[in-house]
Amino acid sequence: MTQPPSSLVRTAALVVPVATAAGAGAAHGLLANTSAALVLVLVVVAAGVVGDRLAGVLAALSAAASFDFFLTEPYYRFAILGREDLETAVLLLVIGVAVAEIVGWGRRQQADAGRRRGYLTGVAHAARLAADGSPADDLVDTITAMISEVLDLDACLFEPPTGAPSDPDRPVLHRDGSISWAGRTVDVRREGLPGMDVIELAAGRGGGAGRFLLTSSTRDRRPDPEQLLVAVTLAEQVPVPDPAPRRDHPRGAGLR
């Protein structure tokens, strides 16, 4: 289902409460102010559900102002003389903002759940490719792209094992999801991913399949611990190459 444009929803969030309060104001003798306030709350809830957090807040502000203007004495002025009407207007605003916050929280939880499902799907896909004996190059390419997507990197490069030691001055992403650099643990949530150099991530079980070099230099990135662990798990799916077979000389070879 396609979501309506945010600008359209926010405009409606401002206009619909005004129209609703104006209609209720035209029927003062038929609809009590408390009933009109409940109708306005429904409008605010609808704005928060259909739109976003800002749309819900705009609807709450518009509903409170419209209630004051159309439904409280003196009518058609922004002034409230009755204590009960003042309390109703304040509660309308508070409830509206609270509903907008709750709806926004629910959407964030839903988005996080969807993201976690995506992570699990990606890890399962990489593990299945490894178990099925897919060509090593194809598997590495797939895992490289997945790590880059999970951490939102500028670049992710795979280096096969060369026997050369790692650069001790480079930041390293460890198996527990922590990052160390220059002898200290980096607080990624506060400082972001190191951007002055590539980040090394060992590939394969035990790190014997090479390494990934992660680049995050163009902007601040602060992945959560779950994302870092997903990247580590993906890197572990790279198969460790078999050692070169030993070639023994045939018995008696070289003897004359």
Side-chain angles (χ1 to χ4, degrees):
M1 181 178 177
T2 303
Q3 292 290 334
S6 297
S7 58
L8 179 61
V9 175
R10 291 168 185 172
T11 300
L14 288 171
V15 173
V16 174
V18 175
T20 302
H28 287 300
L30 301 178
L31 188 64
N33 281 3
T34 51
S35 299
L38 291 175
V39 174
L40 289 171
V41 168
L42 292 177
V43 173
V44 173
V45 171
V49 171
V50 176
D52 53 11
R53 175 186 176 189
L54 179 57
V57 172
L58 291 175
L61 293 171
S62 178
S66 300
F67 180 82
D68 176 12
F69 190 80
F70 291 105
L71 298 171
T72 64
E73 296 180 352
Y75 298 119
Y76 310 115
R77 288 175 56 190
F78 289 108
I80 301 178
L81 300 181
R83 178 179 175 180
E84 291 184 358
D85 289 337
L86 177 60
E87 292 175 350
T88 301
V90 171
L91 286 173
L92 179 61
L93 177 60
V94 171
I95 291 172
V97 173
V99 167
E101 291 291 338
I102 292 171
V103 170
W105 176 83
R107 286 185 171 174
R108 288 191 296 271
Q109 293 297 110
Q110 185 178 20
D112 288 344
R115 188 180 63 179
R116 292 188 183 96
R117 285 195 298 270
Y119 292 161
L120 292 175
T121 300
V123 171
H125 178 62
R128 186 166 57 252
L129 290 176
D132 290 345
S134 299
D137 290 344
D138 293 345
L139 178 59
V140 167
D141 289 344
T142 299
I143 292 175
T144 300
M146 287 181 176
I147 292 175
S148 183
E149 180 179 356
V150 166
L151 299 181
D152 189 24
L153 300 171
D154 294 321
C156 180
L157 175 66
F158 174 74
E159 284 189 352
T162 60
S166 299
D167 188 340
D169 295 328
R170 281 178 176 171
V172 177
L173 173 54
H174 301 282
R175 292 187 63 184
D176 62 357
S178 65
I179 294 180
S180 63
W181 189 22
R184 70 180 185 90
T185 300
V186 178
D187 187 347
V188 177
R189 297 299 288 170
R190 184 170 63 88
E191 304 173 33
L193 291 176
M196 301 298 294
D197 199 350
V198 295
I199 305 168
E200 291 193 4
L201 169 60
R205 301 283 180 179
R211 61 189 174 186
F212 291 95
L213 302 179
L214 318 179
T215 302
S216 175
S217 59
T218 60
R219 61 186 178 86
D220 185 29
R221 294 175 172 87
R222 305 187 182 197
D224 57 38
E226 185 177 42
Q227 290 172 283
L228 294 170
L229 286 173
V230 168
V232 171
T233 304
L234 287 169
E236 289 180 344
Q237 306 310 311
V238 177
V240 178
D242 294 329
R246 181 181 176 182
R247 296 181 178 179
D248 295 327
H249 291 290
R251 184 181 299 275
L255 299 177
R256 302 191 186 281

